[in-house]
Amino acid sequence: GIQVEQSPPDLILQEGANSTLRCNFSDSVNNLQWFHQNPWGQLINLFYIPSGTKQNGRLSATTVATERYSLLYISSSQTTDSGVYFCAVEGDAGTYKYIFGTGTRLKVLA
Amino acid sequence: SAVISQKPSRDICQRGTSLTIQCQVDSQVTMMFWYRQQPGQSLTLIATANQGSEATYESGFVIDKFPISRPNLTFSTLTVSNMSPEDSSIYLCSVLGGSGANVLTFGAGSRLTVL
């Protein structure tokens, strides 16, 4: 089955810093999402981005499907950005069964 | 986007007992899934809940341990049967069709601790 690896596994930032999170996947995908899991466990959808670039405020994401990776950019980080970031890709085309990556645990210090 | 309510939000259970988790969606959805998140780990798909028929289970998950019902397009239950401490996890209901047709949206999860 498809493998989804994220890097770095852990990241500590000072408030105001920028960061880039990476998601590599082992096969071509039709669907890809980025999620933020807050410290209370709630999963929030950040981007649906099977290809191309999207921006939402301080966050942006880019997926290069032909090279099998996606990047999530966080600018001017805030303490509320802390939590775990997951990318998820559709395992088998047309099933909508999303396979989750290994996650990046982010802590932003005040 | 769809709003998903899960009950219970958390529970502490005794070994050998079973617990049923409910998932209610505020609109009709075609596809509904159950995921498990073990402590400190990523999410793993348990099964696809099929309306009016048996759920489709992923490798490593069986119906006897995780029976699932889906009587209509807005409601599903997951039962964790004969629990052991290894079943201590967050169980999450998700549906397809958040702010887009292929967007996966999650409920708040049910955090189970088995003693």
Side-chain angles (χ1 to χ4, degrees):
Chain A
I2 193 168
Q3 304 296 314
V4 187
E5 297 288 333
Q6 292 183 241
S7 60
D10 295 281
L11 187 58
I12 299 175
L13 298 175
Q14 206 63 40
E15 199 168 28
N18 303 326
S19 63
T20 300
L21 282 57
R22 187 176 180 104
C23 171
N24 291 329
F25 38 96
S26 59
D27 204 347
S28 59
V29 297
N30 294 326
N31 294 294
L32 185 150
Q33 285 184 241
W34 282 95
F35 293 89
H36 174 220
Q37 188 170 38
N38 64 26
W40 297 271
Q42 176 71 55
L43 274 161
I44 307 298
N45 175 53
L46 298 175
F47 294 102
Y48 170 75
I49 185 166
S51 64
T53 298
K54 290 186 177 180
Q55 180 157 6
N56 184 4
R58 297 182 296 105
L59 302 182
S60 63
T62 295
T63 297
V64 184
T66 54
E67 297 188 20
R68 301 178 185 171
Y69 73 88
S70 183
L71 302 174
L72 178 70
Y73 306 95
I74 304 174
S75 65
S76 304
S77 59
Q78 300 176 357
T79 56
T80 51
D81 295 330
S82 297
V84 184
Y85 290 82
F86 291 104
C87 70
V89 304
E90 186 184 23
D92 296 310
T95 66
Y96 303 106
K97 296 180 183 180
Y98 277 80
I99 307 301
F100 277 71
T102 49
T104 293
R105 186 174 300 274
L106 174 65
K107 185 165 188 176
V108 181
L109 305 176
Chain B
S1 60
V3 176
I4 304 170
S5 302
Q6 264 188 254
K7 294 193 293 188
S9 58
R10 60 177 61 232
D11 208 339
I12 299 174
C13 309
Q14 295 300 316
R15 182 196 301 259
T17 62
S18 299
L19 184 79
T20 296
I21 301 166
Q22 298 181 2
C23 177
Q24 179 74 54
V25 189
D26 69 342
S27 58
Q28 292 186 340
V29 292
T30 304
M31 305 204 71
M32 189 178 287
F33 306 93
W34 287 97
Y35 283 82
R36 180 178 73 180
Q37 187 177 27
Q38 294 177 299
Q41 303 297 311
S42 183
L43 280 76
T44 301
L45 180 63
I46 297 172
T48 303
N50 300 310
Q51 191 262 328
S53 64
E54 189 173 291
T56 305
Y57 290 85
E58 298 301 304
S59 175
F61 297 95
V62 295
I63 188 171
D64 289 347
K65 177 66 175 177
F66 298 102
I68 290 170
S69 77
R70 191 175 174 196
N72 56 52
L73 292 177
T74 64
F75 185 78
S76 178
T77 66
L78 167 74
T79 299
V80 187
S81 302
N82 188 24
M83 287 185 284
S84 66
E86 292 70 36
D87 295 319
S88 298
S89 297
I90 302 174
Y91 293 86
L92 299 116
C93 172
S94 66
V95 303
L96 200 68
S99 51
N102 296 338
V103 174
L104 202 61
T105 301
F106 281 85
S110 299
R111 186 183 296 266
L112 302 188
T113 302
V114 185
L115 304 178

